[in-house]
């Protein structure tokens, strides 16, 4: 079946460090690709998305590029802040619903 | 607040009891989804509705689970004869789908179920 593999956490970084969270998906069909974020005590919210190959999604300084050749959608940010501490979920959209990755917990230390 | 709301936020029950959760989606959204999330995992799809029609059910949704959306607005998820393995966060999400394809889903805060 459809699946997604996501970098295991937790990831601990110092403020202003560079962040990469890897995500790869199974290449069944041509899914749209999403990153959702869950801040402590809050519900999931959309961070960014890309709907076709080579599209780049971006929001709040985060970016991810839809790489069809490597079936990847890695999340990056050049300089993380303490407020970025959260759990990040990679989520391909297959058919009519999402397949969520297990989540990567990010802790950013001041 | 016009976001997705869920009630209750927490539910503790004894094994074998029935529980019912409610989800109120964003008012103009025609799709409503239920997910289950266990600790350290991502949400797992359970079922979804388009308006009042239940269009897909995951094999995770055993016959003890039933979901309804009778008027195409709020939805309920009932679990009968709860088991300890049902302990999880139950998430509801809604979206507005006008054309085919992926649309952003807006999530509620979830209902945390603990089965003793």
């Amino acid at each position: 079946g459809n699946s997604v593999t996501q970098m295991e956490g937790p990831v601990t970084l110092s403020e202003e460090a560079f962040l990469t969270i890897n995500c790869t998906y199974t290449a069944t069909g041509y899914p749209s690709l999403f990153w959702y974020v869950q801040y402590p005590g809050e519900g999931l919210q959309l961070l960014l998305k890309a709907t076709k190959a080579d599209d780049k999604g971006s929001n709040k300084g985060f970016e991810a590029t839809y790489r069809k050749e490597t079936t990847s959608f890695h999340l990056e940010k050049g300089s993380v802040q303490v407020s970025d501490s959260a759990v990040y979920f990679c989520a391909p959209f297959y058919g009519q619903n999402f397949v969520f990755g297990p989540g990567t917990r990010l802790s950013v230390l001041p | 607040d016009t976001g997705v709301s869920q009630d209750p936020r927490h539910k503790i029950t004894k094994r074998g009891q029935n529980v019912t959760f409610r989800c109120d989606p964003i008012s103009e959204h025609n799709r409503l989804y239920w997910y289950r999330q266990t600790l350290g995992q991502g949400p797992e799809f359970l079922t979804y509705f388009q308006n009042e029609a239940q269009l897909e059910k995951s094999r995770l949704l055993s016959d003890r689970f039933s979901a309804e959306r009778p008027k195409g607005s709020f939805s309920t998820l009932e679990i009968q004869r709860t088991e300890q393995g049902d302990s999880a966060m139950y998430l509801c999400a809604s979206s507005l789908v006008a054309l085919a394809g992926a649309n952003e889903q807006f999530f509620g805060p979830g209902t945390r179920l603990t089965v003793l």
Side-chain angles (χ1 to χ4, degrees):
Chain A
N2 297 318
S3 65
V4 55
T5 302
Q6 191 175 336
M7 181 171 149
E8 284 191 28
V11 174
T12 302
L13 296 173
S14 297
E15 205 164 24
E16 299 183 2
F18 184 84
L19 169 71
T20 299
I21 301 178
N22 291 339
C23 170
T24 57
Y25 61 94
T26 55
T28 303
Y30 204 167
S32 294
L33 302 174
F34 292 70
W35 278 97
Y36 272 81
V37 59
Q38 189 169 31
Y39 297 103
E42 298 183 17
L44 277 83
Q45 52 188 274
L46 177 66
L47 181 60
L48 54 84
K49 69 177 184 181
T51 58
K52 60 182 187 297
D54 302 324
D55 266 4
K56 178 186 286 187
S58 61
N59 185 26
K60 299 181 181 180
F62 290 88
E63 293 183 339
T65 301
Y66 193 141
R67 299 290 187 199
K68 187 170 184 285
E69 64 277 10
T70 55
T71 64
S72 65
F73 193 52
H74 304 322
L75 183 68
E76 297 182 334
K77 186 173 185 180
S79 176
V80 294
Q81 306 301 312
V82 172
S83 58
D84 293 326
S85 298
V87 182
Y88 293 82
F89 295 92
C90 183
F93 190 90
Y94 294 101
Q96 301 297 330
N97 57 73
F98 286 107
V99 174
F100 282 89
T104 302
R105 181 175 297 277
L106 170 66
S107 295
V108 181
L109 306 178
Chain B
D1 189 326
T2 57
V4 179
S5 61
Q6 293 187 246
D7 183 71
R9 296 290 305 274
H10 300 91
K11 178 71 176 178
I12 300 174
T13 191
K14 293 183 179 179
R15 189 177 55 186
Q17 298 295 303
N18 299 343
V19 294
T20 300
F21 311 140
R22 177 181 170 122
C23 171
D24 286 89
I26 294 171
S27 59
E28 66 269 23
H29 283 184
N30 52 3
R31 280 208 181 163
L32 187 149
Y33 301 79
W34 285 99
Y35 294 86
R36 181 173 68 187
Q37 185 178 20
T38 53
L39 198 61
Q41 299 298 315
E44 295 173 293
F45 169 76
L46 293 179
T47 188
Y48 86 94
F49 294 83
Q50 178 144 331
N51 301 314
E52 65 275 10
Q54 189 172 17
L55 296 188
E56 188 174 344
K57 293 193 287 187
S58 161
R59 60 176 178 268
L60 292 175
L61 211 67
S62 77
D63 56 7
R64 296 185 297 106
F65 288 70
S66 61
E68 294 182 343
R69 195 183 183 198
K71 297 182 180 179
S73 56
F74 74 91
S75 175
T76 58
L77 177 67
E78 181 183 17
I79 309 174
Q80 295 182 325
R81 305 181 303 281
T82 52
E83 302 173 355
Q84 288 183 325
D86 297 331
S87 296
M89 179 77 86
Y90 289 84
L91 300 173
C92 176
S94 70
S95 67
L96 177 63
V97 177
L99 300 171
N103 295 84
E104 178 183 358
Q105 292 182 16
F106 294 79
F107 282 81
T111 295
R112 181 169 295 284
L113 172 66
T114 302
V115 181
L116 302 176

